[in-house]
């Protein structure tokens, strides 16, 4: 999705730019229907972001490629440039395996990233640097596939989800996040009223955290993100509309 940067808020570096806007017309193309036995469905979504008096329009797309391979992508239009972000992963028996991740920001090349995962060797390498591959001792995700794994953990939960740790690859670094359930509630957003699971995502010892609301009746789709820093909210993202598995998302 354009990036609220759902990049670092789990939903990625919350608002990658405070003056950017991007929107994908839901009428421009049709989405394929859900593949048999797949726990997730392709989608296209528009979000509204609010930050420091700005209202931004953000878009994102999940599409199934050949076989069990999927791609989640974002595009942000900033002036005459485009910030592009995408994650390719495989999904088999409900398990997600990142394969590659790309982040291309022509306005700030030093932030660019190109990750290549090697599942057989349990490594990941940042191709934009000359550093050696990182050894992955546990399941690890890029900034986008992480969000997809979070949804899958709710979809496939064998027991109630209360709290879980996730390891993310950020360039040459490995970062650990905690996600815990705060409860259930009905929220009212631009897309309507929804039953939601409310989560808190944070890094232990840091003063930043993000509240996340997932739709219980729509494959735990991300409905809203609200980021906090030093106790105060500095940005908020809400779903405006979406087409999931060929169907417009509908509220209560």
């Amino acid at each position: 999705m354009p990036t609220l940067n759902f990049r670092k808020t789990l939903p990625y570096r919350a608002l990658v730019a405070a003056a950017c806007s991007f929107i994908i017309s839901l009428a421009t193309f049709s989405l394929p229907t859900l593949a048999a036995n797949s726990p997730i469905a392709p989608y296209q979504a528009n979000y509204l972001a609010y930050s420091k008096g700005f209202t931004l329009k953000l878009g994102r797309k999940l599409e199934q490629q050949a076989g069990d391979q999927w791609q989640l992508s974002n595009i942000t239009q900033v002036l005459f440039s485009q910030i592009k972000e995408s994650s390719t992963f495989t999904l088999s028996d409900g398990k997600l395996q990142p394969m590659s991740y790309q982040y291309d920001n022509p306005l700030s090349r030093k932030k660019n990233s190109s990750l290549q995962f090697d599942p057989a060797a349990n490594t990941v390498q940042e191709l934009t640097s000359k550093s050696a591959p990182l050894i992955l001792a546990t399941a690890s995700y890029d900034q986008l596939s992480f969000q997809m794994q979070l949804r899958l953990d709710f979809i496939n939960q064998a027991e109630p989800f209360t709290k879980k740790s996730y390891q993310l690859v950020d360039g040459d670094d490995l970062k650990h996040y905690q996600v815990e359930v705060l409860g259930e509630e009905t929220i009212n957003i631009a897309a309507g009223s929804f039953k939601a699971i409310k989560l808190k995502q944070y890094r232990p010892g840091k003063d930043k955290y993000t509240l996340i609301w997932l739709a219980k009746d729509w494959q735990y789709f991300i409905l809203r993100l609200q980021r906090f820093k030093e106790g105060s909210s500095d940005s908020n993202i809400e779903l405006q509309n979406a087409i999931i598995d060929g169907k417009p998302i509908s509220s209560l």
Side-chain angles (χ1 to χ4, degrees):
M1 146 192 268
T3 38
L4 178 190
N5 213 334
F6 268 147
R7 267 171 66 96
K8 289 244 173 158
T9 65
L10 241 267
Y12 330 55
R13 234 161 240 175
L15 296 168
V16 84
C20 67
S21 65
F22 170 71
I23 187 168
I24 302 175
S25 171
L26 290 174
T28 56
F29 60 88
S30 60
L31 294 174
T33 57
L34 181 60
N37 301 320
S38 175
I40 59 173
Y43 69 78
Q44 183 178 343
N46 294 320
Y47 288 80
L48 292 177
Y50 308 93
S51 179
K52 300 178 180 179
F54 289 94
T55 299
L56 312 177
K57 294 180 179 180
L58 309 174
R60 110 174 330 190
K61 179 174 64 175
L62 173 68
E63 55 189 339
Q64 187 172 14
Q65 301 182 321
D68 61 357
Q69 185 165 293
W70 294 73
Q71 184 177 69
L72 181 60
S73 58
N74 302 326
I75 298 178
T76 303
Q77 188 72 38
V78 183
L79 298 177
F80 301 106
S81 299
Q82 286 187 333
I83 298 175
K84 299 180 180 180
E85 181 180 26
S86 66
S87 173
T88 300
F89 54 88
T90 59
L91 185 61
S92 179
D93 296 326
K95 296 181 180 179
L96 185 152
Q97 172 58 60
M99 301 304 293
S100 64
Y101 170 81
Q102 302 288 328
Y103 179 73
D104 182 21
N105 184 347
L107 302 179
S108 182
R109 294 292 184 184
K110 64 180 181 179
K111 295 183 179 179
N112 288 353
S113 178
S114 179
L115 297 175
Q116 190 67 45
F117 290 81
D118 186 340
N122 291 322
T123 62
V124 61
Q125 184 165 20
E126 173 56 77
L127 302 181
T128 63
S129 69
K130 297 181 180 180
S131 58
L134 294 173
I135 303 297
L136 302 177
T138 186
S140 303
Y141 309 94
D142 57 68
Q143 303 289 352
L144 292 183
S145 63
F146 165 52
Q147 297 176 31
M148 197 69 255
Q149 184 60 58
L150 179 65
R151 292 180 58 202
L152 285 171
D153 285 345
F154 275 91
I155 292 171
N156 299 324
Q157 59 184 315
E159 56 186 49
F161 185 119
T162 55
K163 186 176 182 179
K164 188 172 180 178
S165 298
Y166 294 87
Q167 179 169 279
L168 273 68
V169 182
D170 186 8
D172 294 322
D173 296 326
L174 296 177
K175 297 182 178 180
H176 296 86
Y177 287 82
Q178 295 283 344
V179 178
E180 61 181 82
V181 174
L182 299 183
E184 298 184 15
E185 61 183 54
T186 297
I187 64 169
N188 297 300
I189 56 175
S193 180
F194 297 87
K195 293 180 181 178
I197 301 292
K198 184 179 181 181
L199 311 175
K200 181 179 180 180
Q201 174 255 330
Y202 59 95
R203 291 179 65 195
K206 303 294 183 179
D207 62 0
K208 301 177 183 178
Y209 66 91
T210 300
L211 296 181
I212 306 160
W213 286 262
L214 304 179
K216 289 188 63 178
D217 300 328
W218 290 89
Q219 295 186 330
Y220 297 94
F221 199 76
I222 295 176
L223 296 171
R224 183 184 183 192
L225 299 172
Q226 187 171 13
R227 192 180 69 167
F228 290 81
K229 182 178 181 180
E230 298 178 349
S232 299
S233 175
D234 64 0
S235 61
N236 181 48
I237 301 174
E238 294 183 357
L239 180 67
Q240 183 180 27
N241 48 48
I243 292 179
I244 305 173
D245 193 19
K247 303 181 182 73
I249 190 169
S250 58
S251 60
L252 295 173

